[in-house]
Amino acid sequence: MELEESFDAESSFDDVSCLSPQSPGSTSPARRQNKEKEIKETKITINCVTFPVSASALEQQLLKPNEWSYCDYFWADKRDPQGATVSGFEVLLQKQLKGKQMQKEMAEFIRERIKIEEEYAKNLSKLSMFPMAAQEEGTLGEAWAQLKKSLADEAEVHLKFSSKLQSEVEKPLLTFKGDNFKKDMKKYDHHIADLRKQLVSRYAAVEKARKALADRQKDLEVKTQQLEIKLSNKTEEDIKKARRKSTQAGDDLMRCVDLYNQAQSKWFEEMVTTSLELERLEVERVETIQQLLRQYTTLRHETDMFNQSTLEPVDQLLQSVDPAKDRELWVKEHKTGDLRPVDMDI
């Protein structure tokens, strides 16, 4: 914010005492200084937001103890790596935007997995049709043919897996928090930013009123001292006039402080409400992605199970492979004669 630099911690700390002004004329300078010192020790204003310090901070309870809730830990501003001021609410918004980006990248990852499955299925199907070792005979030939067929069955399993990945994992990842997400984030951002700007404006009014009060009080003290030592011909009426102006300045400051507190209270309430909503959205995001990734693992286990089932017929035929049987079948089909040679007679 443009006004933040002029309202840093040091300059604000020095003037916080004026947030509770005493009635001008009723408090001596010494007592007023003691009161200001007491207030300084319990309040500090940073970037136009007033915080407790010292023992007062220790007495402040968390809104949602032991929950690490957003509404408890993002009230102050911070500096980003480039040195720019970032509000706590902006940090929460950045978390939401980052979560949306992570969700998008997860969907892209699943899309790549789908492509691999589709390509794998295509290659398996193509390989199953290769005529390699097609002339193998007997029980071994049957097992070999079934193994080739299992590749086509496995290819179908992987195609179904890729299709389910697309409909049950990738698509939900892409559509969760759809087109309205960025619009909603901008709405939250503008709403809180407007309240913060109003708070800055109210704080500027407080500072202006504080300076006016200090000027009036100084004028009153000077005139009073001049009258006491008779260095001026100012009358009692002049003193009363100066006292009325000082009192009016004090009233103006109190009114400005009241308006500031109202603005800060409104900002506080909306910060709590909105940060809890962002917290709810983050919980929803994490739980939704958790559910979708569980669906991925479920589909993966199913794929393994179906792949295993394609191998069961192969296993059964392999157990039935019998070299003797194969030899019998081959001999019967290809024999050339069972008469053996004998010795030649003279």
Side-chain angles (χ1 to χ4, degrees), residues 179-227:
D179 297 335
N180 292 329
F181 172 76
K182 288 188 176 180
K183 184 185 298 183
D184 292 340
M185 293 303 105
K186 286 184 178 180
K187 181 181 67 175
Y188 294 140
D189 187 18
H190 291 164
H191 180 56
I192 297 300
D194 288 344
L195 292 174
R196 186 67 181 268
K197 289 177 182 178
Q198 185 178 20
L199 185 60
V200 171
S201 176
R202 296 300 187 191
Y203 183 76
V206 169
E207 292 295 287
K208 183 178 180 181
R210 176 184 289 125
K211 183 178 183 303
L213 175 60
D215 291 342
R216 293 299 182 184
Q217 289 179 327
K218 183 178 180 180
D219 181 59
L220 175 59
E221 291 175 0
V222 169
K223 289 181 178 180
T224 302
Q225 292 173 359
Q226 289 176 343
L227 181 64

Side-chain angles (χ1 to χ4, degrees), residues 109 119 205 208 263:
F109 181 90
E119 187 67 21
K208 183 178 180 181

Side-chain angles (χ1 to χ4, degrees), residues 97-114:
L97 296 175
K98 181 180 178 181
K100 182 66 173 177
Q101 179 63 26
M102 295 302 99
Q103 176 186 325
K104 179 182 177 182
E105 292 181 12
M106 288 179 185
E108 292 173 353
F109 181 90
I110 298 298
R111 167 45 52 186
E112 293 302 314
R113 183 73 168 92
I114 291 171

Side-chain angles (χ1 to χ4, degrees), residues 139-140 320-330:
T139 57
L140 181 59
S320 301
V321 170
D322 185 349
K325 180 66 175 177
D326 287 359
R327 184 173 65 250
E328 176 187 349
L329 294 174
W330 186 83

Side-chain angles (χ1 to χ4, degrees), residues 60-173:
Q60 193 179 71
Q61 299 296 319
L62 294 175
L63 298 175
K64 300 183 72 175
N66 303 320
E67 294 189 29
W68 293 98
S69 176
Y70 286 177
C71 68
D72 278 319
Y73 296 98
F74 294 90
W75 293 107
D77 299 336
K78 62 181 292 186
R79 297 283 184 180
D80 66 12
Q82 289 71 40
T85 300
V86 179
S87 70
F89 189 75
E90 287 180 271
V91 174
L92 293 177
L93 283 180
Q94 289 170 3
K95 170 64 174 173
Q96 291 290 315
L97 296 175
K98 181 180 178 181
K100 182 66 173 177
Q101 179 63 26
M102 295 302 99
Q103 176 186 325
K104 179 182 177 182
E105 292 181 12
M106 288 179 185
E108 292 173 353
F109 181 90
I110 298 298
R111 167 45 52 186
E112 293 302 314
R113 183 73 168 92
I114 291 171
K115 290 180 180 179
I116 291 173
E117 288 296 321
E118 291 174 342
E119 187 67 21
Y120 183 55
K122 178 182 177 181
N123 290 333
L124 281 178
S125 180
K126 182 178 179 180
L127 181 60
S128 71
M129 294 185 290
F130 280 10
M132 296 176 177
Q135 296 181 359
E136 180 62 53
E137 300 172 333
T139 57
L140 181 59
E142 292 176 0
W144 174 250
Q146 184 60 46
L147 186 146
K148 290 173 62 179
K149 182 180 181 300
S150 73
L151 294 185
D153 296 337
E154 186 179 352
E156 185 64 25
V157 169
H158 284 277
L159 276 179
K160 289 181 179 179
F161 177 49
S162 66
S163 177
K164 287 187 176 181
L165 278 182
Q166 193 277 329
S167 62
E168 299 179 21
V169 181
E170 181 200 18
K171 185 176 180 180
L173 277 172

Side-chain angles (χ1 to χ4, degrees), residues 162-282:
S162 66
S163 177
K164 287 187 176 181
L165 278 182
Q166 193 277 329
S167 62
E168 299 179 21
V169 181
E170 181 200 18
K171 185 176 180 180
L173 277 172
L174 289 173
T175 56
F176 177 63
K177 292 186 178 180
D179 297 335
N180 292 329
F181 172 76
K182 288 188 176 180
K183 184 185 298 183
D184 292 340
M185 293 303 105
K186 286 184 178 180
K187 181 181 67 175
Y188 294 140
D189 187 18
H190 291 164
H191 180 56
I192 297 300
D194 288 344
L195 292 174
R196 186 67 181 268
K197 289 177 182 178
Q198 185 178 20
L199 185 60
V200 171
S201 176
R202 296 300 187 191
Y203 183 76
V206 169
E207 292 295 287
K208 183 178 180 181
R210 176 184 289 125
K211 183 178 183 303
L213 175 60
D215 291 342
R216 293 299 182 184
Q217 289 179 327
K218 183 178 180 180
D219 181 59
L220 175 59
E221 291 175 0
V222 169
K223 289 181 178 180
T224 302
Q225 292 173 359
Q226 289 176 343
L227 181 64
E228 290 176 350
I229 60 178
K230 297 181 180 181
L231 292 177
S232 172
N233 294 326
K234 298 293 183 181
T235 64
E236 286 291 333
E237 187 62 30
D238 293 328
I239 300 299
K240 291 180 180 179
K241 184 177 180 180
R243 184 174 288 113
R244 283 196 302 268
K245 290 182 177 181
S246 180
T247 301
Q248 180 61 47
D251 293 340
D252 290 343
L253 176 58
M254 294 179 70
R255 179 182 60 82
C256 289
V257 169
D258 185 54
L259 292 175
Y260 166 85
N261 287 334
Q262 291 178 28
Q264 182 169 257
S265 178
K266 178 63 176 176
W267 173 75
F268 170 84
E269 292 171 1
E270 292 301 314
M271 274 285 291
V272 171
T273 301
T274 309
S275 62
L276 287 177
E277 175 61 15
L278 295 182
E279 182 178 302
R280 184 193 68 79
L281 291 175
E282 176 62 7

